[in-house]
Amino acid sequence: MSAEKQTSEIEELDAWMDEVASALAWHGGDAEATIRTLLADCKHLREQLALAQIAMSMGFTRGWSPCQERQDEVTR
């Protein structure tokens, strides 16, 4: 593995850890409250996506349609 790719992966991991730390800090370190908030946010966004799917026409998006499931896998 090249040094440049390793550096990129380390920076990506650092950014991810900063996001996790920020979410936990927002809830005073309470992991359960953090997870509950993130799940509530996910539910809200799925509902908003469902409404957008209903309101959008295929012509508006040139055949593209959003989906509720992620296309990539979470590896962390």
Side-chain angles (χ1 to χ4, degrees), residues 15-66:
W16 179 78
M17 291 301 293
D18 288 344
E19 290 177 6
V20 171
S22 294
L24 283 167
W26 181 264
H27 293 283
D30 185 349
E32 185 176 338
T34 303
I35 292 168
R36 287 183 187 280
T37 298
L38 292 172
L39 289 172
D41 288 349
C42 185
K43 180 182 178 197
H44 171 74
L45 292 172
R46 286 179 183 271
E47 290 170 353
Q48 294 296 304
L49 180 59
L51 290 173
Q53 280 180 301
I54 293 168
M56 288 177 13
S57 70
M58 292 300 280
F60 177 73
T61 59
R62 297 182 185 206
W64 175 83
S65 179

